Amino acid sequence: MLRAVQEVGYQVCLTTNVLDPGNPLLIEAGAPASCSRPRRMVVIDAAVAALYGDEIGNYFAFHDAEYHPLILDAAESHKRMESVHQVIDELDRFGIDRRREPLIAIGGGVLTDIASFAASIYRRNTPYVRVPTTLIGLVDAGVGAKTGVNHHRHKNRIGTYFPPTVSLCDRRFLATLDHRHIVNGMAEILKIALVKDVRLFELLEESGADLVRDRFQPRYDGRSAEEVLERAIEGMLEELAPNLWEHKLERLVDYGHTFSPTLEMRALPELLHGEAVAIDMALTTLLGAQRGQVTDADAVRVLALMRTLGLPTSHPLCEPELLTAALRETVRHRDGRQRMPLPVGIGGARFVDDLSAAELTRAAKSLSAEAVHA
Ligand SMILES: NC(=O)c1ccc[n+]([C@@H]2O[C@H](COP(=O)([O-])OP(=O)(O)OC[C@H]3O[C@@H](n4cnc5c(N)ncnc54)[C@H](O)[C@@H]3O)[C@@H](O)[C@H]2O)c1
């Protein structure tokens, strides 16, 4: 038997003004020092290109780089193999030198998922750099190792684990992101707070509403925006690092992702991913309260924060029948067991395998009653 071990390491840098020509991070990212003229192929989300295309072009011109942009329509409906082929065709046309010219992907989770998947299969692997431009990108899609596209009606059915060499996270892009997508990203930040970081939860209580309103841009100073993003990203990386290939199926980052995949697909296109995750977290908070793992006062606090952030806490589809079907589907994905993270207080969780249909029905009823009284 042959055994080979590959060490994996990548950098996630929080920076500001990544497109400022005076900031060398982007031109230096993932490239060896070289005296020849730099060349970069840059895949850009069309919405981002419309807003930042000139700045991106000026940045590479300032660094005297041969700049080869590929602008992609990165709507979820375009997250498919055809878009991956577009990137691959362009890589061929550009004639990338994969040892010294990392591919750069600038955009939301859809764009970075497409471009990173193309990079992972082009000539078996082509190093790349991610520049996430949405809140989900900054705290989730842009900092992990997963790549992929949808296939038929299955989400992320084709993909790989292929981390970037560097991920450059700049909250300035959020200045142009619409309100709903900011709130959507808040769900993934709240997830990390609920399962492992009570301080992050408190920060969200203190300044979450302001951060949503100001789109994480510094009004007076940027400290709370930075601290929230840093804690959310660090929390995420701490969970990913020991389990990058997801061999272990008990994952805290799966909190909020037990019922939400089915809910999201059934409600399509009404709910964004983070919105479905928030509803799942509201339900599981009540399940935790029923089991005495979360005090009633803490459950009230969690639901109040969700509302303050503008996240939904329930949905008419959250009926016992759908929730039971959703749990069955999740059990199938988690190799025959529930492995469900259930909150313990605020900032902790434990995995359960014995959630009953009766508990689920009771929590679903409490959730809709909550929604009526809210
Ligand atoms: N790879 C992973 O680990 C991972 C993790 C979470 C989510 N995802 C994937 O990410 C996708 C969702 O990503 P998303 O929430 O970033 O959505 P998205 O990529 O669809 O972007 C949301 C919208 O904002 C636009 N946009 C992007 N940046 C902008 C900016 N700075 N200003 C204005 N508009 C901007 C986009 O064009 C799009 O219309 C899903 O496909 C999901 O499966 C992947």
Side-chain angles (χ1 to χ4, degrees):
M1 185 172 74
L2 182 145
R3 273 182 83 85
V5 178
Q6 186 183 13
E7 196 177 282
V8 172
Y10 63 98
Q11 263 185 305
V12 175
C13 302
L14 262 113
T15 180
T16 41
N17 297 323
V18 73
L19 298 179
D20 178 339
N23 183 341
L25 282 177
L26 184 57
I27 193 72
E28 289 175 0
S34 155
C35 14
S36 54
R37 186 179 180 218
R39 299 171 78 241
R40 295 290 182 274
M41 177 170 149
V42 188
V43 188
I44 314 169
D45 178 324
V48 174
L51 293 159
Y52 301 95
D54 289 347
E55 270 183 79
I56 298 171
N58 290 340
Y59 181 89
F60 289 104
F62 179 87
H63 291 280
D64 189 29
E66 183 185 336
Y67 165 58
H68 189 86
L70 169 64
I71 294 168
L72 283 191
D73 186 341
E76 185 74 35
S77 56
H78 287 248
K79 193 176 160 181
R80 47 178 204 234
M81 280 311 284
E82 287 83 342
S83 304
V84 176
H85 285 143
Q86 256 182 287
V87 178
I88 288 174
D89 287 348
E90 209 57 41
L91 282 163
D92 254 353
R93 219 165 281 140
F94 180 58
I96 200 164
D97 176 344
R98 51 188 277 287
R99 299 199 185 273
R100 48 188 61 249
E101 297 167 356
L103 177 70
I104 297 175
I106 307 183
V110 170
L111 184 286
T112 53
D113 273 8
I114 296 169
S116 57
F117 181 46
S120 76
I121 57 174
Y122 186 69
R123 303 196 57 198
R124 299 197 174 85
N125 71 70
T126 294
Y128 72 103
V129 173
R130 277 191 188 136
V131 183
T133 61
T134 60
L135 190 51
I136 288 271
L138 289 174
V139 300
D140 192 348
V143 297
K146 289 196 269 192
T147 83
V149 291
N150 306 329
H151 186 59
H152 294 146
R153 287 180 63 82
H154 301 290
K155 202 156 157 57
N156 298 326
R157 186 46 62 97
I158 310 174
T160 53
Y161 293 92
F162 187 60
T165 315
V166 182
S167 185
L168 296 174
C169 299
D170 181 354
R171 68 188 154 87
R172 195 180 69 99
F173 287 109
L174 303 181
T176 51
L177 190 65
D178 69 48
H179 175 82
R180 192 172 172 201
H181 279 99
I182 296 279
V183 173
N184 186 46
M186 277 295 195
E188 295 290 354
I189 297 180
L190 179 61
K191 173 185 81 178
I192 294 292
L194 289 174
V195 292
K196 62 177 291 170
D197 189 347
V198 68
R199 173 68 192 136
L200 180 56
F201 185 88
E202 289 163 0
L203 280 170
L204 291 176
E205 282 187 322
E206 283 160 26
S207 49
D210 292 346
L211 294 176
V212 169
R213 185 199 56 217
D214 298 342
R215 295 181 165 79
F216 283 78
Q217 303 310 298
R219 189 164 248 236
Y220 306 106
D221 67 65
R223 254 177 290 137
S224 52
E226 257 150 39
E227 197 179 347
V228 164
L229 289 176
E230 267 167 29
R231 294 191 85 94
I233 292 171
E234 269 167 28
M236 181 63 131
L237 293 177
E238 270 170 24
E239 293 305 308
L240 294 184
N243 191 24
L244 201 63
W245 319 119
E246 301 184 5
H247 292 312
K248 189 164 168 258
L249 295 172
E250 277 94 3
R251 301 171 72 234
L252 280 182
V253 289
D254 277 345
Y255 183 53
H257 294 69
T258 298
F259 305 100
S260 63
T262 302
L263 178 62
E264 188 182 344
M265 290 319 272
R266 295 274 179 96
L268 220 59
E270 187 194 337
L271 289 175
L272 293 179
H273 178 72
E275 294 167 344
V277 169
I279 294 165
D280 183 314
M281 295 193 297
L283 179 78
T284 42
T285 297
L286 296 186
L287 282 167
Q290 277 173 203
R291 287 192 168 203
Q293 293 182 196
V294 177
T295 63
D296 289 343
D298 277 349
V300 168
R301 229 175 126 192
V302 170
L303 294 181
L305 177 56
M306 286 183 174
R307 293 189 187 106
T308 303
L309 297 175
L311 287 164
T313 55
S314 72
H315 189 277
L317 278 176
C318 267
E319 289 290 334
E321 199 190 326
L322 177 133
L323 297 172
T324 311
L327 184 57
R328 216 179 302 122
E329 186 61 18
T330 294
V331 164
R332 214 165 59 79
H333 281 287
R334 295 186 188 152
D335 197 25
R337 282 171 47 194
Q338 292 179 353
R339 304 176 206 264
M340 191 171 100
L342 208 57
V344 177
I346 292 175
R350 70 184 182 89
F351 292 93
V352 303
D353 273 319
D354 60 349
L355 185 77
S356 70
E359 282 178 284
L360 203 47
T361 302
R362 196 173 141 211
K365 277 195 186 135
S366 312
L367 196 64
S368 42
E370 264 283 332
V372 172
H373 291 118

